[in-house]
Every structure is written in structure tokens, then in C-alpha cells.
Amino acid sequence: MELAYYSDYAVRLVNTEAPARNKDALTSVGAVRELFGANSQAARRATEADVTRFRSVRGRLRAVFEAADEGDETLAVDLLNSLLLEFPVSPQISGHDVRDEDGTPDWHMHLADHPSNATAGYAAIAAMGLAFHLTSHGADRLGLCEAAPCRNAYLDTSTNRSRRYCSDRCATRANVAAYRARKRLEAEERAEEESVRSADAVQPSTPRTER
């Protein structure tokens, strides 16, 4: 498993909350366990106490995305470093998959965590994955959706660093909203021009004063 894969752990956790909509999907142990995806062994460690702990880590990860989105790379790095120090991991070479028919292992880097609880394990992996993405691609590749009120986190993997939305759905919604706004502005400008012309047409002419 490549280290880049782990960056998605951070995105998944951050996007369990929509602050602008006052929505929070992280309300139960089941919701916590779903975040681990296929890592069922780690998910089984989750308890009720992890719900609150996960929310705390989520807020800190969102702060990293917010700093990066605002162009403050130094703050984003500082915030991420604090998570890395608090939740360390042990990189290991893993070969649990087979590369070809002769049984040669598919060697790759794996982040082995030794957590005291489910939150520590998840936070360690999420922070390391996000750190790998930031140092490999740049802090400007960490963004927050511009389609208000969404503000979901995303990782920009576009070739020209042009991504602005978390999904095609949000991109379409934003484009439609911008189109309608332009049409309203054009209609208002036309109405104002017609109003001026109408006023000029009915304005009485001022007779000349004879000397």
C-alpha cells in the first residue's frame, strides 16, 4: 500500500462534519468504525470514548486544511507537525500481496501503528498520509470546497493545480449558480438602460428664452 493512500484517512474524517450546515455524521461507534474502511481489525478497537476523541482530531485536521486553503503554509505545517509528534507511526516494509505467479511478494511501505486506542491509530495514519501528500505535492494541494456552504476537504491531484471543488456535484452547482448570477446582473443592467432611455424620451424640451 503506498503512503499516498493514507492521506484519504484525513479527508474522510474531516468530511464527517459540515460546520456551515450544522451537520455532524460522527455520532456513534459505528460511524467511527466505518472510517477505517477495509481495516476491520483496527476498527474493532473503537469504543464510545473514541467518538469524542475522533471529533477532537477532526478539528485539528480541518485546521490544517483551512491554513493551507488560506495560503498559510507555515501554519499548516506547524499544525500537522504537532499531530505527527503526538501520534507517531512506525514505517515498515510489507509484502502481504503477491506480485506474480512465482509467489514473489509485492514489497511496499506500510504504516504500522501501535496505538493505545482507536483514535491514536487512526490519527497517526491520517497525519502521516497528509504529511506525505503535502511534502510531495505542496500545501496548495490541500483545499476546501468553494461551493458554499459545502467546505468539504479535498486533495488536489489535477495536473495544473486547478481543483476548487470537492466533487463534480459541487462544481456543477457552483457553475450553475455563477451562470444564474451573471444572467441576473445582465438583466438588471438592461432594465436600467431601458429606464434611462425611457426617461430621456419623455423629458420635455426646455424652450429657448428670447432676448
Side-chain angles (χ1 to χ4, degrees), residues 61-190:
L61 286 171
R62 174 171 282 278
V64 175
F65 279 93
E66 289 174 342
D69 188 64
E70 293 169 2
D72 195 338
E73 293 188 7
T74 300
L75 178 57
V77 169
D78 287 345
L79 292 170
L80 195 48
N81 273 336
S82 68
L83 284 163
L84 292 170
L85 287 171
E86 185 174 346
F87 304 106
V89 295
S90 301
Q92 295 179 356
I93 299 175
S94 176
H96 54 76
D97 294 323
V98 176
R99 185 169 58 224
D100 47 41
E101 294 181 358
D102 66 3
T104 302
D106 183 14
W107 300 114
H108 58 276
M109 291 301 297
H110 178 76
L111 296 184
D113 58 278
H114 309 285
S116 56
N117 54 65
T119 303
Y122 192 98
I125 291 173
M128 181 58 76
L130 200 56
F132 178 81
H133 192 92
L134 186 151
T135 54
S136 298
H137 307 292
D140 60 340
R141 292 288 190 157
L142 278 59
L144 292 173
C145 187
E146 294 185 12
C150 178
R151 303 302 283 169
N152 268 353
Y154 65 82
L155 299 172
D156 186 359
T157 56
S158 63
T159 55
N160 56 355
R161 299 175 184 266
S162 61
R163 185 170 179 179
R164 297 166 56 199
Y165 308 104
C166 68
S167 64
D168 290 341
R169 179 181 180 182
C170 276
T172 299
R173 182 161 55 85
N175 290 335
V176 170
Y179 173 80
R180 290 175 177 172
R182 287 196 302 271
K183 289 300 181 181
R184 283 195 300 269
L185 180 59
E186 291 172 1
E188 291 171 359
E189 290 175 346
R190 285 196 300 271

Side-chain angles (χ1 to χ4, degrees), residues 32-45:
V32 168
R33 289 173 178 165
E34 286 180 5
L35 289 169
F36 286 91
N39 193 350
S40 57
Q41 183 176 354
R44 284 196 293 269
R45 292 197 297 259

Side-chain angles (χ1 to χ4, degrees), residues 41-64:
Q41 183 176 354
R44 284 196 293 269
R45 292 197 297 259
T47 66
E48 287 289 345
D50 284 300
V51 177
T52 300
R53 289 194 289 253
F54 260 70
R55 287 176 175 174
S56 176
V57 171
R58 178 181 62 189
R60 295 170 66 182
L61 286 171
R62 174 171 282 278
V64 175

